[in-house]
Amino acid sequence: MRESQPSPNTPSPSASSSPSVRTRILRRPQRAAYDLASVAAIVDAGLLCTVAFQWEGSVHAIPTLHWREGDHLYLHAAKASRLGQALLAGEACVSIALADGLVLARSAMHHSLNYRSVVIYGRFEAVTEPEEKHRALRAFIEGLYPGRWEELRPMTAKEVNATAVLRLSLAEASAKVRQGGPKDDAEDLAWPAWAGVIPLQRRQGEPEMEADSPLAEAPPTRFGRPGQDGVGVVGVD
Amino acid sequence: MRESQPSPNTPSPSASSSPSVRTRILRRPQRAAYDLASVAAIVDAGLLCTVAFQWEGSVHAIPTLHWREGDHLYLHAAKASRLGQALLAGEACVSIALADGLVLARSAMHHSLNYRSVVIYGRFEAVTEPEEKHRALRAFIEGLYPGRWEELRPMTAKEVNATAVLRLSLAEASAKVRQGGPKDDAEDLAWPAWAGVIPLQRRQGEPEMEADSPLAEAPPTRFGRPGQDGVGVVGVD
Ligand SMILES: Cc1cc2nc3c(=O)[nH]c(=O)nc-3n(C[C@H](O)[C@H](O)[C@H](O)COP(=O)(O)OP(=O)(O)OC[C@H]3O[C@@H](n4cnc5c(N)ncnc54)[C@H](O)[C@@H]3O)c2cc1C
Ligand SMILES: Cc1cc2nc3c(=O)[nH]c(=O)nc-3n(C[C@H](O)[C@H](O)[C@H](O)COP(=O)(O)OP(=O)(O)OC[C@H]3O[C@@H](n4cnc5c(N)ncnc54)[C@H](O)[C@@H]3O)c2cc1C
Ligand code: HEM
Ligand code: HEM
C-alpha cells in the first residue's frame, strides 16, 4: 500500500473507519486495515475484482474490471446481462487481490505469499443519468489510458444506453496485507533450504498493433509506456 | 490456453462435458468452453482464485491460492478458520481470472481485455486422512517449487493436523476466453487512434534473500528461474 502512487482522488489518510461485524478480520488480524485510504490504494492498484452475489438459489463469483472514484468502486456490464440485473437485486461482496511475492521458508508450512487484498460488502446502485454514466465511463478510460478519451471516436447515446454502470460504496470494507520475509520456527533457521521472497511483478509486453491501425505508436497506459522495460514493470494484478 | 504447458496430470483433450443450467454462458457464448481440458489448463495457469460462499446471511468472496490434481481444485486454510468451516457447510462458487492483454480500439466501447477465466460450482469436501493431506500438501509445494519438498524440514503431524485441505470437483465448470485484437465498427476504422493489444505478463523480480538464509541461490519456481529475464516472464496471474 505504501508504495502505490497517490492518485488525485485518493481520500485523505486521516479518513478512517472501524470494522463492521462481518468485515472484522479474525485470522491474522495484525494484517488488517479498515480506513478508506488503505482500502482505496489497493482498489486502485488492482485491475480486476471478483463480484460475488446470490441469484436463483446459488452463489455466483464473476470476474470483472473495476475502477474507483472517491469512496465508490465502479464496474460496467451489459444492461441486459444477468450481472447488470442481479447486482441491483441484492447484496454483493467484492474481492480484489494482488500477489506481490512468493515467500519461501525452511519448512513447508511457513511458505506464504506477500499480498494486498480488499473485501467489500454492500449493495450496488446503478448510475442511470446519461451524463453521469458518460462521465464515469470517461473516467474508466482515462484511468487506464491517460489522455486517450479526446482521441477516440466520441461515444454515442446508444452506446451509453446499452451499458450498465454500477457502483458500490467502500464504506464496509477491509484491507489485509502481508509483506516481508518468511517467519520460520527458531529451531529451523539452520536447515539448509533457501529462505526469502521472490517478487511477482506485472509487466507490459511489446504492443501488438492491428494491421490497419491508423497510428503507429501505442499510447501510454496506467502501467507506463508499453514495451519499455523498467517503466512498464508494475507490481499489480 | 493453447500456450500453457501441459502438466503431467492434464486430462486428455478428449474429455468433454456440456454446460449445466447455471454454467451455460449467455453473454458472448462464442467464448465458452466446458470440457475438462480447457477448464484444467486455466486452473493450472492461475495462482489465485476467489471463493464465494454464503455464511450467516451474507455472501462472501475470499481470495486464496489453489492447485489442481486430476479433476479437482484444491485449497488450504486453517482448520479453525471460518473458511475451513463455511466451505463444508454449503455450496460455493470459485472464480479464476487471468488478464492477458489490454485491447485498445478506436471507440471507447470497443476497448476490451484479453482474458482466460473459469467459474466452478459445487460443494467442497475435506481431505481428512493424514497421509492423503500430506500427499496433497506435498503436491502443492512441488507444483510451485519443483524439487523443493525433499529439501525442506519434514512436515510434522501437528502441522498437518492444523491445516484444512479442501477440494472441489471440476465437474460443473465453465471456461471463457477472449483473445485477439479490437472489434471496431467498420465506419471507425480510419479514425486516428492506435488500435491493437498491449500484452500483460507476469514476471519474477530479483530474489530478496533473508539475511540468515542458509543457501544463497533461490530455487526455480513454476514460473522459471527467478531473476532471469525471459525465462521468468509468464503470462499468468
Ligand atoms: C492472494 C492471497 C492468497 C491467499 N491464500 C491463502 C491460502 O492459500 N490459504 C489461506 O488460508 N488463506 C489465504 N489467504 C488469506 C485469505 O484471504 C483469508 O484471509 C483467510 O483464509 C481467512 O479467511 P476467513 O474467511 O476464515 O477469514 P476471517 O478473518 O474469519 O474473515 C472475516 C472478515 O475479514 C475480512 N477478510 C478476510 N480475509 C480478507 C482478505 N484477504 N482481504 C481483506 N479482507 C479480508 C472479510 O471482511 C471477512 O468477512 C490469501 C489471501 C490473499 C490475498
Ligand atoms: C478478467 C476479466 C475481466 C472482465 N471484465 C468485464 C467487465 O468489465 N464488464 C463485463 O460486463 N464483463 C467483464 N468480463 C466478463 C464477465 O466475467 C462475465 O462473463 C460477463 O459480465 C457476463 O456475466 P453474467 O453473470 O451476466 O454472465 P452469464 O453469461 O449470464 O453467466 C452464466 C454462466 O456463465 C458462466 N460464466 C460467466 N462469466 C464467466 C467467465 N468470465 N468465465 C467463466 N465462466 C463464466 C458462469 O457459469 C455463469 O454462471 C470480464 C471477464 C474477465 C475474465
Ligand atoms: C504445504 C504445507 C503448508 C501448510 C501445512 C500450510 C498451512 C497453513 C495454515 C494452517 C494456514 C492458516 C493460517 C491462519 O489462518 O492463521 C495457512 C495460511 C496461508 N498459507 Fe499455508 N501452508 C502450507 C503451504 C503454503 C504455501 C506453499 C503457500 C504459498 C505459496 C502458503 C500460503 C499461505 C497463505 C498466503 C496463507 C494465509 C495467511 C494469512 O491469512 O495472511 N501456504 N497455511
Ligand atoms: C468506456 C466505454 C465502454 C463502454 C460503453 C463499454 C460497454 C460494454 C458493454 C455494453 C459490455 C457488455 C457486452 C456483453 O455482455 O455482451 C462490455 C463488456 C466488456 N467490456 Fe466494456 N465498455 C467500455 C469500456 C471498456 C474498457 C475500457 C474495457 C477494458 C479495459 C472494457 C472491457 C470489457 C470487457 C472485458 C467486457 C466483457 C466482454 C465479455 O463478456 O467477454 N470495456 N462493455
Side-chain angles (χ1 to χ4, degrees):
Chain A
M1 305 186 318
R2 250 162 266 144
E3 64 276 25
S4 15
Q5 302 289 356
S7 85
N9 62 354
T10 296
S12 87
S14 65
S16 92
S17 59
S18 308
S20 70
V21 172
R22 57 187 177 177
T23 61
R24 182 179 298 280
I25 293 179
L26 302 177
R27 307 302 306 177
R28 315 261 163 152
Q30 71 279 16
R31 299 182 178 160
Y34 304 99
D35 61 291
L36 182 55
S38 300
V39 168
I42 297 171
V43 171
D44 289 354
L47 181 63
L48 306 180
C49 66
T50 304
V51 188
F53 55 91
Q54 184 82 21
W55 183 249
E56 290 182 350
S58 296
V59 58
H60 302 271
I62 298 289
T64 68
L65 295 150
H66 69 266
W67 70 102
R68 183 184 65 85
E69 292 179 75
D71 52 6
H72 283 82
L73 170 132
Y74 284 75
L75 55 82
H76 85 297
K79 209 196 265 176
S81 68
R82 178 184 72 183
L83 195 62
Q85 292 169 356
L87 294 185
L88 298 175
E91 286 238 313
C93 181
V94 173
S95 147
I96 296 170
L98 307 164
D100 291 330
L102 299 163
V103 181
L104 281 76
R106 284 93 163 168
S107 65
M109 185 171 183
H110 288 300
H111 281 68
S112 191
L113 190 78
N114 280 340
Y115 64 75
R116 289 166 289 165
S117 59
V118 159
V119 173
I120 312 159
Y121 293 89
R123 184 147 179 170
F124 278 89
E125 59 184 347
V127 177
T128 51
E129 233 267 299
E131 290 93 83
E132 189 56 21
K133 282 169 76 174
H134 198 281
R135 201 202 44 70
L137 290 166
R138 182 195 161 117
F140 178 31
I141 291 273
E142 284 289 310
L144 286 164
Y145 312 106
R148 188 162 174 84
W149 185 261
E150 296 300 336
E151 292 167 7
L152 297 174
R153 189 267 289 153
M155 196 159 59
T156 66
K158 199 178 154 200
E159 289 173 333
V160 173
N161 188 50
T163 308
V165 175
L166 305 175
R167 63 177 210 166
L168 176 65
S169 164
L170 299 176
E172 192 179 351
S174 51
K176 194 173 173 187
V177 176
R178 191 211 188 277
Q179 40 195 1
K183 313 235 180 330
D184 270 299
D185 297 336
E187 59 272 27
D188 290 339
L189 292 178
W191 191 275
W194 188 84
V197 176
I198 301 174
L200 295 175
Q201 299 163 338
R202 168 70 80 194
R203 71 184 289 281
Q204 299 185 128
E206 278 302 321
E208 295 161 3
M209 193 175 73
E210 288 292 282
D212 58 3
S213 173
L215 299 189
E217 202 191 342
T221 76
R222 59 184 286 199
F223 304 124
R225 234 168 224 292
Q228 295 190 359
D229 247 346
V231 184
V233 172
V234 287
V236 304
D237 276 302
Chain B
M1 306 189 315
R2 251 161 266 146
E3 64 274 26
S4 15
Q5 302 289 355
S7 85
N9 62 353
T10 296
S12 86
S14 65
S16 91
S17 61
S18 308
S20 70
V21 173
R22 56 187 177 178
T23 60
R24 183 179 297 280
I25 293 180
L26 303 177
R27 308 302 306 177
R28 316 261 164 153
Q30 71 278 15
R31 298 180 179 162
Y34 304 99
D35 61 292
L36 182 55
S38 301
V39 167
I42 297 170
V43 171
D44 289 353
L47 181 65
L48 307 180
C49 66
T50 303
V51 187
F53 55 92
Q54 184 82 21
W55 184 250
E56 291 183 349
S58 295
V59 59
H60 302 272
I62 297 289
T64 69
L65 295 150
H66 68 265
W67 70 100
R68 182 183 66 84
E69 292 180 75
D71 53 6
H72 283 83
L73 171 132
Y74 284 74
L75 54 83
H76 85 298
K79 211 196 261 176
S81 67
R82 177 182 73 182
L83 196 62
Q85 292 168 355
L87 294 186
L88 297 176
E91 286 238 312
C93 181
V94 173
S95 145
I96 296 170
L98 306 164
D100 291 329
L102 299 163
V103 181
L104 282 75
R106 285 91 164 169
S107 64
M109 185 170 182
H110 289 300
H111 281 68
S112 191
L113 190 78
N114 280 341
Y115 64 75
R116 289 166 290 164
S117 60
V118 158
V119 172
I120 312 159
Y121 294 88
R123 185 149 179 169
F124 278 88
E125 58 184 350
V127 178
T128 50
E129 232 267 298
E131 291 92 83
E132 188 57 20
K133 281 168 78 175
H134 198 281
R135 203 202 41 73
L137 290 166
R138 180 195 162 115
F140 178 30
I141 291 273
E142 284 289 311
L144 286 164
Y145 312 107
R148 189 163 173 82
W149 186 261
E150 296 301 335
E151 293 168 8
L152 297 174
R153 189 265 289 152
M155 196 159 62
T156 66
K158 197 176 157 204
E159 290 174 332
V160 173
N161 188 48
T163 308
V165 175
L166 306 174
R167 65 176 208 163
L168 176 65
S169 164
L170 299 177
E172 192 178 350
S174 51
K176 194 174 172 186
V177 176
R178 192 212 188 275
Q179 40 194 1
K183 311 232 182 335
D184 272 300
D185 297 335
E187 58 272 27
D188 290 339
L189 291 178
W191 190 276
W194 188 84
V197 176
I198 301 174
L200 295 175
Q201 299 163 339
R202 168 72 77 195
R203 72 183 289 283
Q204 299 185 129
E206 278 303 322
E208 295 161 4
M209 192 176 73
E210 288 291 283
D212 59 3
S213 173
L215 298 189
E217 201 190 343
T221 75
R222 60 185 285 201
F223 303 125
R225 237 168 222 292
Q228 294 189 1
D229 247 347
V231 183
V233 172
V234 287
V236 305
D237 273 306

